[in-house]
Amino acid sequence: MAEEPSLSNSNNIEMKLTAYGDSKGTQVGQINAAEVKIIVDRIEPVLERLQQISQPESPGVLKAGNPNKSLAYWQGRKTEIAQIQQWLTDKNTFLIGIEGIGGTGKSMLAAKIYNEIEGFPKRFWADVSYGAGFSDLARQVLSEFGFRVPEEEAQLMQALVKCLQSGQYLLIIDNLESLLQPDRQWGSQFYSDFFNAWVEYGGNSKVIVTTRERPELPKFTWLPLKGLQVPEGIALLTELGIRGDLEDFVELVDGHPLLLRLVADLLKEEYPQDPDLRQLADLGLRNLQQLLTDPKVIGQHRRPNVGMVLVLDASFERLSELQKALLLNISVYRGAVDSTAALAVLPGSSETEIEGELRNLIKRSLLLEKLNGKRRYEFQPVVLEYARYKAGNQTEAHQQAINYYLLNVKPAPWQTKEDIKEYLEIFYHKYQLENYDSAFDILNTCNDFLRLRGFYTEQVDLWGQLIAAWEKTGERENSKYWVALTSLGHAYDYLGQYQQAIEFQQQSLEIAREIGAHDRFEEAISLGNLGLIYNSVGQYQQAVEFHQKALEIARKTGTPDVEANSLGHLGLAYRSLGQYQQAIEFYQQQLKITKEIGDRNGEGRSLGDLGNAYQFIGQYQQAIEFYQQQLKITKEIGDRNDEGYSLGNLGNVYNSLGQYQRAIEF
């Protein structure tokens, strides 16, 4: 049994002047203004923490498929359910928001709708509480609803809107506040673009979101969710086995569901034979009634938030030292964890012991249990914020989490994003430690995979996060900062958002000129990148000018690989201008250099580019010869991506020659 709370404990709110009567929380004495101020000063920081929106986290794992929430103790909400049912049948309502403070039951109400509402043959639940990327959400929804997932990530938003327009589907996005900045602006523009498009065009499908804060977005239909009504709250406490003046207590806490559950579980754990509300006096909560009605305490905060902090404090103080350490240390993770992950941040205990204590924390509603193959544990969002506040500096726990993920990383080659999830978690923890250079190294490790698999929105979010951090620290003269700007520009280019791509490549050019005074390697690369974007938007003459500048620098500084790239880029620009002979000359120069320096990848691409140029001018036999040479190289070096291009190009040439069977084979 934990030691009885005492007045000397700064986390204890018990005052000696008050006691509960037999029926109501009557007070035989009042705590004075000085004592109230002590309590206000102590709980104010955590109250602020519970009310504010945290910075959006870097893209993490999307918890999707179904709510996986127990409705065993469900009570009431008939009015709210009826209102949502009405909106779901309204042809002019496309986007419904359930808004409320933490713990009011937003997710539970959404889960009730998801499980029991009729009229939607297909439905999908997406929990974005850990910064899930839009790309993951769109791909999974499209797959679940039986729609083709486009190869180009830039088409995902449009594909998702068309999917929702085509049928009568229900999409629920839980914990939307995790995607918002403190000013309620979007942390990721891709979600913003989707919601704006959906409310603009709409359809027979419905999208429901739950959130602690409303985003800056028009045409939402909002349901402000408050606590349970008094009869509903009484029914909940009764079903949980709690005795005492239930009506008075439900009124006192405004029927806040999570607060009622926390109090009930606290009483049942501490007084299993007599879980009566009068026992709260012995748990450091004698003055709960006065404190929840004192304007000095409540101030600008809603009453349930104040009660939540006071009850969480009381619950926390009754934990054993191991339980306290466990709760605080696992709060460093994002997402559900198993006992192995918990043990990694609490060395010295056994996994069996940790598993037992995790289950004890579930009994107090401080953790939730997920049974999906392997037993896993996660926080309610409001309890997670409380635990992270109580934990304070989590440097050591972050490092222990990094070590845990390092032991579990999957070696390349990777096939799915799931294969690199450990790297993304390491990036997150290093970012939290403000070790941005090291976070860069981790992201750079899997950047090519993200690019080749088309996860451009994740690249935008991840690189954008690092760039914003470096801008705050003023580390402009950092080659990694230059790479991040360049990579972000590439990601926007792949998404077809050319203006943003140009802006970031221009910034990378400025940084390159600051840090590359000697070899000017970075400057040539940035010039080439700008040339490629201008080529994409049809400004071919500007593209030629940028590539010529890059070529001049490469030749002056003796960097043949950059020279070869610049020649290839010039070939592309002249081909776009319709000047095929000049394009061929540049490709031939590029091919010569790649052979000299032994760049087999570059050699293969040069051959492919030559094949393209000859195909454009109708010299199909020469095009076939170049494509065949490229195909041979790609097979030798194992470049499956370019091997696919070679086969496709050969198919196109044979199609142009009217040899359709051969085209089909390629």
Side-chain angles (χ1 to χ4, degrees):
M1 180 68 69
E3 184 180 333
E4 286 294 321
S6 66
L7 286 171
S8 61
N9 190 320
S10 63
N11 287 321
N12 177 36
I13 64 165
E14 182 178 354
M15 298 296 172
K16 292 181 177 178
L17 302 176
T18 309
Y20 272 76
D22 290 337
S23 59
K24 292 186 178 250
T26 54
Q27 297 175 324
V28 297
Q30 295 284 320
I31 50 177
N32 59 39
E35 292 167 329
V36 169
K37 185 177 186 306
I38 291 173
I39 297 171
V40 172
D41 291 344
R42 182 178 62 75
I43 69 173
E44 184 71 25
V46 68
L47 283 167
E48 292 293 338
R49 175 80 174 245
L50 295 183
Q51 291 203 154
Q52 69 186 8
I53 303 176
S54 301
Q55 285 289 113
E57 297 181 340
S58 56
V61 177
L62 175 69
K63 296 186 289 182
N66 59 72
N68 197 23
K69 295 181 182 296
S70 172
L71 300 173
Y73 294 99
W74 179 267
Q75 295 293 336
R77 298 298 194 192
K78 292 181 180 179
T79 303
E80 293 89 343
I81 291 173
Q83 178 63 80
I84 292 176
Q85 285 179 319
Q86 179 185 332
W87 288 334
L88 290 175
T89 58
D90 183 357
K91 293 184 178 180
N92 296 315
T93 301
F94 309 124
L95 187 54
I96 300 166
I98 303 174
E99 177 207 18
I101 63 173
T104 50
K106 303 179 295 296
S107 299
M108 297 299 288
L109 176 58
K112 183 78 169 176
I113 295 293
Y114 181 95
N115 289 333
E116 300 181 5
I117 200 73
E118 296 180 354
F120 296 94
K122 290 188 178 181
R123 54 198 71 195
F124 190 86
W125 179 280
D127 182 354
V128 297
S129 56
Y130 300 105
F134 175 76
S135 176
D136 281 350
L137 175 112
R139 291 172 195 267
Q140 291 195 43
V141 173
L142 289 168
S143 297
E144 181 70 19
F145 291 166
F147 284 76
R148 186 184 69 84
V149 178
E151 293 181 8
E152 295 294 328
E153 193 179 29
Q155 299 171 6
L156 279 174
M157 187 271 288
Q158 184 180 17
L160 182 55
V161 171
K162 286 185 176 180
C163 161
L164 295 173
Q165 288 176 322
S166 69
Q168 197 161 349
Y169 307 119
L170 177 63
L171 171 61
I172 296 183
I173 302 176
D174 193 24
N175 296 307
L176 189 74
E177 73 278 348
S178 300
L179 306 173
L180 301 178
Q181 302 277 3
D183 59 0
R184 296 195 297 156
Q185 297 298 320
W186 294 96
S188 169
Q189 73 172 75
F190 305 106
Y191 280 100
S192 173
D193 291 344
F194 163 67
F195 284 122
N196 277 304
W198 176 239
V199 296
E200 181 68 25
Y201 301 108
N204 291 325
S205 297
K206 303 296 180 184
V207 178
I208 298 177
V209 305
T210 73
T211 182
R212 280 187 278 166
E213 292 288 342
R214 297 186 184 188
E216 293 292 340
L217 185 70
K219 298 185 180 179
F220 252 108
T221 301
W222 287 104
L223 175 72
L225 191 65
K226 301 186 182 301
L228 296 171
Q229 296 179 21
V230 173
E232 299 168 349
I234 292 172
L236 175 59
L237 289 176
T238 300
E239 190 163 350
L240 290 169
I242 304 304
R243 297 189 290 272
D245 194 331
L246 306 185
E247 179 180 354
D248 186 62
F249 188 75
V250 172
E251 288 181 343
L252 181 65
V253 300
D254 291 340
H256 190 277
L258 179 57
L259 183 49
L260 292 173
R261 187 67 186 263
L262 285 167
V263 167
D265 288 342
L266 175 62
L267 288 171
K268 287 193 294 184
E269 280 297 297
E270 297 298 329
Y271 304 101
Q273 303 303 318
D274 185 25
D276 193 292
L277 290 170
R278 289 177 298 175
Q279 306 287 6
L280 291 176
D282 295 327
L283 297 176
L285 293 167
R286 284 182 177 151
N287 290 94
L288 186 62
Q289 184 172 21
Q290 180 187 348
L291 292 170
L292 291 187
T293 54
D294 192 315
K296 298 184 183 67
V297 178
I298 297 174
Q300 62 178 330
H301 305 289
R302 298 183 185 181
R303 182 187 298 176
N305 271 343
V306 177
M308 183 73 68
V309 175
L310 298 178
V311 173
L312 283 171
D313 274 350
S315 296
F316 185 79
E317 287 305 312
R318 306 298 289 189
L319 299 178
S320 69
E321 292 306 312
L322 177 57
Q323 289 170 339
K324 289 179 182 177
L326 180 58
L327 189 73
L328 299 186
N329 284 12
I330 65 171
S331 72
V332 79
Y333 290 110
R334 51 180 190 167
V337 299
D338 57 22
S339 55
T340 306
L343 183 62
V345 293
L346 205 70
S349 302
S350 70
E351 189 165 346
T352 302
E353 186 179 20
I354 292 296
E355 184 78 47
E357 296 298 6
L358 287 167
R359 295 186 190 183
N360 286 330
L361 292 171
I362 287 172
K363 293 177 183 177
R364 295 177 179 268
S365 289
L366 296 173
L367 289 178
L368 301 172
E369 185 176 25
K370 295 185 68 176
L371 284 173
N372 188 13
K374 187 174 183 180
R375 199 181 298 271
R376 296 168 69 82
Y377 308 88
E378 66 180 356
F379 284 89
Q380 290 256 19
V382 66
V383 180
L384 176 62
E385 290 297 328
Y386 174 85
R388 286 181 173 174
Y389 172 81
K390 291 286 290 186
N393 187 321
Q394 291 186 289
T395 298
E396 184 178 354
H398 279 298
Q399 190 56 56
Q400 289 168 331
I402 289 170
N403 295 338
Y404 167 72
Y405 287 119
L406 283 171
L407 291 173
N408 291 281
V409 293
K410 293 181 178 65
W414 307 302
Q415 300 300 318
T416 68
K417 191 180 169 191
E418 181 73 11
D419 293 337
I420 64 165
K421 67 178 182 180
E422 286 81 11
Y423 286 99
L424 296 179
E425 294 307 313
I426 293 169
F427 172 87
Y428 164 77
H429 288 286
K430 286 187 176 292
Y431 184 89
Q432 295 300 314
L433 291 173
E434 300 182 6
N435 191 346
Y436 304 129
D437 280 10
S438 188
F440 167 92
D441 293 336
I442 292 295
L443 179 54
N444 213 32
T445 299
C446 48
N447 187 55
D448 283 346
F449 169 81
L450 291 170
R451 175 179 59 81
L452 291 171
R453 286 291 187 269
F455 290 104
Y456 309 131
T457 59
E458 272 81 358
Q459 286 183 299
V460 166
D461 291 337
L462 291 163
W463 288 118
Q465 225 178 343
L466 269 183
I467 288 167
W470 272 322
E471 286 174 350
K472 288 180 181 178
T473 60
E475 295 184 52
R476 285 175 60 86
E477 293 188 10
N478 182 337
S479 61
K480 292 181 178 180
Y481 180 49
W482 170 78
V483 173
L485 287 167
T486 301
S487 299
L488 183 56
H490 284 319
Y492 275 119
D493 188 14
Y494 297 138
L495 284 167
Q497 299 186 20
Y498 300 118
Q499 191 54 49
Q500 291 99 319
I502 288 171
E503 289 174 8
F504 283 106
Q505 295 296 2
Q506 286 282 13
Q507 290 181 48
S508 81
L509 179 60
E510 293 173 12
I511 299 300
R513 286 171 173 162
E514 292 177 16
I515 65 177
H518 301 295
D519 59 21
R520 301 181 69 190
F521 167 83
E522 292 91 347
E523 182 180 353
I525 296 296
S526 296
L527 287 165
N529 290 334
L530 280 164
L532 288 172
I533 300 170
Y534 278 108
N535 194 83
S536 296
V537 297
Q539 298 185 33
Y540 305 125
Q541 198 53 52
Q542 276 185 280
V544 168
E545 291 172 8
F546 278 113
H547 293 317
Q548 286 285 11
K549 290 177 182 177
L551 181 61
E552 290 171 13
I553 292 173
R555 285 174 171 167
K556 284 180 181 178
T557 57
T559 48
D561 53 339
V562 179
E563 182 180 354
N565 281 335
S566 299
L567 289 165
H569 295 160
L570 279 165
L572 174 64
Y574 278 106
R575 195 186 79 188
S576 300
L577 286 165
Q579 299 180 30
Y580 300 114
Q581 195 53 51
Q582 280 183 279
I584 288 170
E585 291 174 8
F586 282 117
Y587 289 143
Q588 289 284 12
Q589 293 178 56
Q590 180 192 32
L591 179 61
K592 180 174 181 291
I593 293 174
T594 56
K595 286 182 176 179
E596 289 173 354
I597 64 177
D599 179 4
R600 296 286 278 166
N601 269 310
E603 183 181 349
R605 293 195 188 99
S606 301
L607 290 164
D609 288 336
L610 280 164
N612 288 336
Y614 278 107
Q615 185 176 350
F616 271 111
I617 59 178
Q619 297 187 27
Y620 300 125
Q621 196 54 49
Q622 282 182 280
I624 288 171
E625 291 174 9
F626 283 117
Y627 288 145
Q628 289 283 13
Q629 292 178 59
Q630 180 191 26
L631 181 61
K632 181 182 177 184
I633 290 175
T634 58
K635 287 182 175 179
E636 289 174 358
I637 64 178
D639 187 342
R640 298 285 285 171
N641 197 48
D642 280 354
E643 182 182 347
Y645 284 124
S646 303
L647 292 165
N649 287 334
L650 281 163
N652 288 333
V653 177
Y654 280 108
N655 188 72
S656 300
L657 287 168
Q659 299 183 34
Y660 304 122
Q661 191 54 47
R662 297 221 50 194
I664 289 170
E665 291 169 7
F666 281 111

